[in-house]
Amino acid sequence: MFSREDLTARARIRDEALRLFAHDGPDAVTVRQIAAATGVSPALVLHHYGSKQGLRAAVDEHVTGVFDALFAEFSDDDPALLGDLLATGSGASLAELLLRNLPPESPIPAYLRRLLLAGDPAGAVMVRRWYQASQAMLRPLVASGILRPGRDPDMRTAILMANDLAMLLLRDQLAAVLGVDPLEPEGMARWAQELLAIYRHGLFTAETGEEELP
């Protein structure tokens, strides 16, 4: 059994590892660097996690747990409440709803970005959970008449999810061309506002009836 002090050190080690993994990538970070950042000895890191691989697994489990808790919160929300968030532009995407509930300096978005870009198995698991969460969020909105189901609900969900993930995967590139970080409050507000306008009014000046679409 761990003492309270051990548990605190264990959590601090995991959190510092997450921060370093997000910044430099898991392969580039050593146990010594993690120990130095935490203010403990490398031996204590190994005492708690056995190896760097064990620590990496603990970080992945922690990140997955954070997202699972947030996904569960939004999938359980009242459809009318979610509809109000969409209608006001304060929650035009699942990404925005999730990011609003993370601490401002959380390394989790950057870590998820690394997982996805590297084709990491943990990233693949996260994408599947994100897709399932998107389905769970959209289903009651469609059932209550707030959103249209579309001809291909699965593909529509995937398109909406891809839009969410673009904020994470292209964060640096978007910030460079827009002059604002899409994951910071100002950037998220602008993104959500324009995204909502596209969802509600479309891109074309003249509407095309659904019966004419291929």
Side-chain angles (χ1 to χ4, degrees), residues 65-142:
V66 169
F67 273 89
D68 280 350
L70 292 170
F71 288 150
E73 177 184 345
F74 292 120
S75 65
D76 291 341
D77 271 347
D78 180 4
L81 175 59
L82 290 174
D84 288 342
L85 289 173
L86 291 170
T88 59
S90 60
S93 71
L94 185 57
E96 186 192 355
L97 290 172
L98 291 170
L99 291 170
R100 281 189 332 181
N101 284 265
L102 292 175
E105 301 302 321
S106 172
I108 288 179
Y111 184 62
L112 177 59
R113 178 173 180 261
R114 281 194 175 274
L115 292 181
L116 296 178
L117 290 176
D120 192 282
V125 170
M126 192 64 67
V127 168
R128 179 168 294 279
R129 293 188 182 192
W130 194 299
Y131 179 77
Q132 292 169 342
S134 297
Q135 286 181 313
M137 181 178 173
L138 292 175
R139 251 186 238 111
L141 294 174
V142 170

Side-chain angles (χ1 to χ4, degrees), residues 14-35:
R14 181 204 63 206
D15 291 347
E16 283 299 325
L18 169 58
R19 184 181 64 80
L20 291 171
F21 289 168
H23 188 270
D24 299 320
D27 292 341
V29 178
T30 67
V31 169
R32 287 188 177 278
Q33 289 173 318
I34 296 167

Side-chain angles (χ1 to χ4, degrees), residues 169-188:
L169 297 178
L170 299 176
R171 178 180 188 176
D172 295 340
Q173 292 80 1
L174 289 170
V177 297
L178 294 173
V180 62
D181 187 337
L183 298 188
E184 293 293 332
E186 180 189 352
M188 283 195 292

